[in-house]
Amino acid sequence: MTSSKIFSIITFLYGLALVLYIISWVFKKSFPGKLAVAATIAGATGNLAGVILRWIESYQMGIGHAPLSNLYESLIFFAMTIAIVHLFIAFKYKQRIIGVVSSPIPFLAMAYASLPKVNDSIQPLIPALQSNWLIAHVMACFIGYSAFAIAFGISIIFLLKSPDDEQQTGIMARIPDFDTLDDLTHQMVMFGFLFLSIGIITGAVWANQAWGRYWGWDPKETWSLITWLIYATMLHARLMRGWQGKRIAVLSCIGFFAVIFTYFGVNLLPGLHSYQ
Amino acid sequence: MTKLSNSDGFTNTLWKFFTSVKLSVFILLSLAMTSIIGTLIPQNENPMLYLKKYGEFRFSLFKSLDLFDMYHSWWFRFLLCMLTVNIIVCSINRLTATWKIIFPKTPKFNINRFRKMKNRQEWTSTSTPETLKTAYETYLKKRFKTFLVEPAENGYRLFAEKGRWTRLGVYVVHLSIIFLIIGGLVGSIFGFDGYVNIPEHESISSIFLQNSKLKKELGFEIRCNDFNISFYDSDMRNRNRMPKEYRSDLSIIKNNKEVIKKEIIVNDPLRYAGINIFQSSYGQTKASGLKYEKQAKMGQSIDMPGNTGTLKIEDFKSHFPYRGITLDNVYICVFTPKEGEPEHILIPENSRFDAMRNGDFIISIENLGNHLKITFTETGLKYYTGLQVTKDPGVPIVYTGFIFLIIGCYITFFMFHKKICVELTTAGGKTNVMVSGISEKNRPGMLSVTRRVANQLKHLK
């Protein structure tokens, strides 16, 4: 079995998990929800296996390197980290329903990766990327992105839910109460902020090692800083000014747009980080 | 006296101004918003290029606002300065106000607050308060740093807590930011960032600074013993093959003596006397040979010497990613040979070092303001290595900041001050037990801690 075969199977598994989560939510049944968790576990496990297999395949081609070097590989890694963070919430906070908003992301990432315009071949590493810092840097950044993505999903539910829903019995009433959503957003943002910081720092140390400067105001660097500043503002507004609820949800959405721009939008601008 | 109190009043107002979190939020958002500008307008490009792109009016407007080098502009530095003062003042202000609360001589517990907590767990035990007290004391003492017991009307109150110090985590984060800003400042004052190209077998003793293009003496010589480029695909005919490695064999020579010899590659620089030497680019050059000079304007075609073809300079780029390395200040040209297809070639600016080979000539281009001077030099080629030479004494400070930032964030986000209270009251031969916990910042976290403690206490008799 090749890694690309595995990736098409897990795309299906993530899609299945999404459908099951929606069924579980709309029909208020817990069994499909459990199946969805199982599908996500299978997807994440397969995802990890696929990443490892691709790593091995690159060595068999004689250009061995961690599969974290282009857009295709980053999307696959992103799908995996989101699935894992999502499972973490499902088990730690017993909030399976969050799957309705967090499971579309790995599915969409995998689906996007399988588009013909995304080059899925294993390419050799250019000299600038030949460093052990690559793994730490990319992993930390994507774990951070994943947490922010899930915070964004939760914030979207928060904004869609109206206070009247708490009393009603419709499908909106089944999603967790405002306090839980608000707290989950905060937890995810703190988690993401720590990992984004680690990602920026490992990148800076690497840049200092490869080019002799830890910070060069490259567009991607700058956008990661912008993202960092937005979430820093959000944490201060919440912890010091007591902001909660809707305002925090809106800031979490703005923060995630900055994440998306840092990830994809920067490719429109020139710089060292643009995926080729 | 009046004067003194006036200045006191002013200092107070200023102090108050800087303690406001609204100011922090404002500065953080301002930094975020203004940083966007620099990602939309390419930074530190050639002025000619800006003029062409933005036109006279916008060019002078942007220039007066320092938008072409905005991260080093006075107003961006002003914002960073405001942030620093804001962080310092806020931290001092809060720390002096809360220090006594965080670290009192004797920890105090307010039973009424615990009784009101939503997370409290209650049950009834058949054991006496005394028995329970002894059992719970052992348990709590083992798991918490501080333990207190006090007699109550019909029983006992047990208090335990740990993690008071974690409330200082946020100050570690703030301190880390100060370190980063100071480290950056030290680097920009005492450090430099330069470049130099050294042909194989030659040495240099000075470099050019990246921003000012001024010459800087190093105090030692760098010799390039050898330069090698290797490709993933060994097929010479494949023009698109990917480079695998750029390798320069360098020697540091001081007082005519070789002190260090090292082969450097892209991620493995040479460090000597606080100066770092990085592999950055490469090219081919000629040490001597006949020169032909021509003049041209951007977009104009000129005849090459010796009736070999025409050359058209199409564009100028100050940063141009090329096969994994970034070439600085390159002209994008089209060379049309006498017989054959036109092809694009890249010619780096600065005729002293950079040249791109084509056929029998090295072509180099120099910008003389109103026109371009193109020099064709007859060949006799050899490789040169392009090195980036930097010094940044601020790096250790910045790295300390990095470590503090990670540790501080971890403490602030994932550790918290936990206070637990157990109240034992006799009622009709039985004992009512209440377990309740307080945390200033992590309610859900405290809920699970309280539940866990209660569940374990239930098993103790």
Side-chain angles (χ1 to χ4, degrees):
Chain A
M1 177 134 21
T2 61
S3 61
S4 43
K5 187 95 179 255
I6 293 182
F7 292 138
S8 50
I9 295 171
I10 62 167
T11 311
F12 167 76
L13 281 172
Y14 286 143
L16 180 69
L18 169 60
V19 172
L20 288 167
Y21 274 124
I22 293 173
I23 291 174
S24 158
W25 172 49
V26 173
F27 298 101
K28 209 178 179 178
K29 294 273 189 294
S30 78
F31 183 65
K34 283 179 186 160
L35 276 182
V37 173
T40 314
I41 294 174
T45 315
N47 206 332
L48 179 65
V51 169
I52 293 170
L53 192 58
R54 190 176 166 95
W55 202 333
I56 295 169
E57 283 165 6
S58 76
Y59 271 94
Q60 284 163 350
M61 290 167 69
I63 49 172
H65 61 80
L68 300 168
S69 70
N70 58 20
L71 180 62
Y72 178 79
E73 291 171 339
S74 81
L75 283 166
I76 283 160
F77 191 76
F78 189 40
M80 184 176 80
T81 49
I82 292 208
I84 292 170
V85 175
H86 157 64
L87 287 172
F88 175 76
I89 295 189
F91 286 103
K92 169 129 197 242
Y93 299 97
K94 312 268 181 283
Q95 295 293 349
R96 268 207 305 267
I97 202 82
I98 299 298
V100 175
V101 287
S102 56
S103 65
I105 313 171
F107 174 65
L108 289 175
M110 290 304 297
Y112 182 55
S114 61
L115 292 180
K117 70 169 187 170
V118 180
N119 183 358
D120 66 349
S121 66
I122 300 179
Q123 294 148 315
L125 275 189
I126 55 171
L129 294 184
Q130 295 164 7
S131 167
N132 288 330
W133 287 102
L134 173 72
I135 299 174
H137 173 59
V138 176
M139 278 190 178
C141 287
F142 276 95
I143 293 171
Y145 289 180
S146 306
F148 290 140
I150 290 178
F152 167 72
I154 298 166
S155 301
I156 290 289
I157 314 184
F158 191 103
L159 294 174
L160 290 179
K161 187 175 158 127
S162 78
D164 309 334
D165 294 330
E166 301 255 292
Q167 278 80 44
Q168 288 172 4
T169 49
I171 53 169
M172 290 309 276
R174 267 168 239 158
I175 55 185
D177 59 78
F178 282 118
D179 280 353
T180 310
L181 292 175
D182 186 52
D183 187 64
L184 272 175
T185 306
H186 183 57
Q187 296 287 335
M188 284 298 110
V189 167
M190 290 195 299
F191 187 75
F193 191 80
L194 175 67
F195 276 92
L196 178 66
S197 305
I198 296 175
I200 294 175
I201 288 171
T202 48
V205 173
W206 179 13
N208 189 46
Q209 199 179 42
W211 300 291
R213 49 178 172 73
Y214 53 83
W215 194 261
W217 297 106
D218 166 87
K220 192 141 186 151
E221 279 172 7
T222 310
W223 270 96
S224 70
L225 178 69
I226 292 167
T227 309
W228 192 88
L229 288 167
I230 292 173
Y231 284 109
T233 308
M234 176 177 169
L235 290 167
H236 281 88
R238 186 190 168 98
L239 296 171
M240 299 303 304
R241 306 279 309 166
W243 281 29
Q244 264 184 325
K246 208 164 196 166
R247 289 193 285 187
I248 287 294
V250 170
L251 272 178
S252 154
C253 293
I254 296 172
F256 188 64
F257 287 125
V259 169
I260 287 294
F261 199 82
T262 311
Y263 188 4
F264 298 108
V266 168
N267 294 328
L268 310 172
L269 309 167
L272 283 165
H273 284 89
S274 54
Y275 294 111
Q276 277 142 4
Chain B
M1 279 307 281
T2 341
K3 208 174 177 185
L4 194 75
S5 70
N6 259 346
S7 81
D8 265 13
F10 177 70
T11 320
N12 274 336
T13 319
L14 200 66
W15 184 264
K16 256 207 163 132
F17 172 73
F18 277 112
T19 55
S20 117
V21 178
K22 271 186 193 159
L23 180 70
S24 322
V25 168
F26 173 77
I27 298 172
L28 289 172
L29 284 182
S30 304
L31 283 170
M33 308 269 256
T34 52
S35 292
I36 298 175
I37 302 171
T39 65
L40 301 177
I41 300 175
Q43 299 288 293
N44 294 310
E45 300 258 6
N46 193 305
M48 231 172 74
L49 222 98
Y50 286 128
L51 197 59
K52 194 177 123 195
K53 192 169 172 187
Y54 297 112
E56 195 96 31
F57 175 71
R58 277 192 296 168
F59 175 77
S60 40
L61 179 72
F62 289 178
K63 185 144 182 65
S64 65
L65 292 171
D66 276 339
L67 293 188
F68 299 134
D69 189 17
M70 63 149 282
Y71 303 112
H72 303 103
S73 68
W74 67 269
W75 55 265
F76 196 76
R77 285 187 165 149
F78 175 73
L79 279 176
L80 284 177
C81 191
M82 290 285 275
L83 181 70
T84 316
V85 177
N86 183 228
I87 291 173
I88 295 174
V89 172
C90 271
S91 302
I92 293 176
N93 196 50
R94 277 181 57 79
L95 203 54
T96 47
T98 54
W99 187 266
K100 278 188 185 146
I101 304 171
I102 302 179
F103 300 108
K105 286 205 179 92
T106 48
K108 285 191 182 70
F109 297 91
N110 180 353
I111 183 66
N112 290 323
R113 262 190 86 194
F114 283 104
R115 282 181 183 146
K116 279 184 210 139
M117 294 307 289
K118 275 192 191 148
N119 65 19
R120 66 178 187 276
Q121 316 279 313
E122 286 162 311
W123 69 91
T124 314
S125 165
T126 47
S127 312
T128 63
E130 283 74 23
T131 335
L132 290 176
K133 190 196 97 180
T134 325
Y136 290 2
E137 190 173 335
T138 332
Y139 172 87
L140 291 171
K141 269 187 173 165
K142 210 158 80 187
R143 281 167 184 76
F144 290 85
K145 192 171 165 256
T146 317
F147 176 79
L148 278 177
V149 59
E150 60 179 41
E153 298 82 56
N154 295 310
Y156 297 96
R157 284 178 209 136
L158 288 66
F159 298 105
E161 64 157 15
K162 65 175 169 186
R164 251 174 204 276
W165 64 274
T166 61
R167 289 174 152 206
L168 296 175
V170 64
Y171 302 105
V172 177
V173 178
H174 284 175
L175 188 67
S176 78
I177 305 298
I178 306 289
F179 268 80
L180 297 182
I181 292 173
I182 292 175
L185 203 65
V186 167
S188 70
I189 296 171
F190 301 106
F192 61 79
D193 182 0
Y195 63 93
V196 69
N197 295 331
I198 315 174
E200 283 177 305
H201 319 303
E202 289 183 27
S203 1
I204 54 90
S205 61
S206 61
I207 56 159
F208 292 91
L209 295 180
Q210 202 75 256
N211 292 331
S212 58
K213 313 287 175 207
L214 291 174
K215 207 169 175 178
K216 183 177 173 65
E217 291 295 329
L218 286 174
F220 56 84
E221 281 180 55
I222 308 173
R223 188 174 65 210
C224 174
N225 303 313
D226 192 20
F227 174 81
N228 271 305
I229 176 169
S230 59
F231 295 89
Y232 282 106
D233 184 352
S234 57
D235 184 1
M236 290 290 282
R237 286 163 301 178
N238 181 3
R239 303 197 97 198
N240 293 319
R241 60 203 180 136
M242 278 177 73
K244 186 179 186 178
E245 190 178 79
Y246 310 106
R247 182 182 286 268
S248 299
D249 185 352
L250 302 180
S251 290
I252 301 287
I253 296 156
K254 188 151 190 180
N255 304 326
N256 295 320
K257 261 175 40 194
E258 183 179 78
V259 278
I260 296 181
K261 185 170 152 56
K262 187 184 173 175
E263 289 195 347
I264 66 163
I265 55 174
V266 173
N267 269 296
D268 186 16
L270 166 64
R271 298 180 200 275
Y272 173 71
I275 292 171
N276 311 303
I277 301 161
F278 300 87
Q279 181 69 58
S280 149
S281 66
Y282 75 100
Q284 284 176 313
T285 189
K286 161 133 180 74
S288 61
L290 275 175
K291 282 186 166 62
Y292 302 87
E293 284 183 7
K294 298 218 168 199
Q295 291 187 356
K297 288 213 162 23
M298 199 68 92
Q300 187 190 341
S301 278
I302 51 163
D303 287 329
M304 307 258 295
N307 198 19
T308 43
T310 58
L311 183 76
K312 184 177 163 193
I313 300 155
E314 278 196 330
D315 201 0
F316 177 81
K317 288 253 178 351
S318 66
H319 295 292
F320 190 79
Y322 180 68
R323 293 187 171 177
I325 54 173
T326 306
L327 296 176
D328 285 329
N329 302 331
V330 287
Y331 288 95
I332 296 160
C333 308
V334 180
F335 166 63
T336 315
K338 192 103 200 294
E339 285 161 4
E341 292 294 309
E343 61 174 298
H344 273 94
I345 53 174
L346 299 173
I347 301 177
E349 201 197 26
N350 196 338
S351 61
R352 273 169 304 219
F353 307 102
D354 300 285
M356 207 75 185
R357 195 177 81 108
N358 184 70
D360 299 319
F361 295 99
I362 302 169
I363 306 161
S364 62
I365 302 172
E366 208 181 339
N367 185 1
L368 295 177
N370 54 350
H371 67 268
L372 302 164
K373 185 175 99 183
I374 301 140
T375 312
F376 299 92
T377 313
E378 275 182 344
T379 46
L381 286 169
K382 57 183 176 184
Y383 275 111
Y384 68 79
T385 180
L387 303 176
Q388 183 161 6
V389 183
T390 69
K391 182 183 171 182
D392 190 346
V395 165
I397 305 172
V398 171
Y399 280 19
T400 312
F402 285 166
I403 293 167
F404 281 3
L405 180 59
I406 295 175
I407 295 174
C409 278
Y410 182 80
I411 296 172
T412 312
F413 297 152
F414 301 107
M415 297 173 93
F416 55 98
H417 182 192
K418 304 171 183 103
K419 284 184 279 192
I420 281 273
C421 167
V422 183
E423 192 174 33
L424 306 167
T425 337
T426 39
K430 287 181 177 175
T431 308
N432 289 326
V433 185
M434 181 206 72
V435 177
S436 159
I438 293 178
S439 157
E440 304 303 331
K441 69 176 182 202
N442 191 344
R443 267 185 297 117
M446 201 59 223
L447 173 65
S448 56
V449 170
T450 312
R451 276 194 189 141
R452 198 168 57 235
V453 169
N455 283 337
Q456 284 171 334
L457 290 181
K458 274 180 198 167
H459 296 294
L460 299 174
K461 291 269 150 32

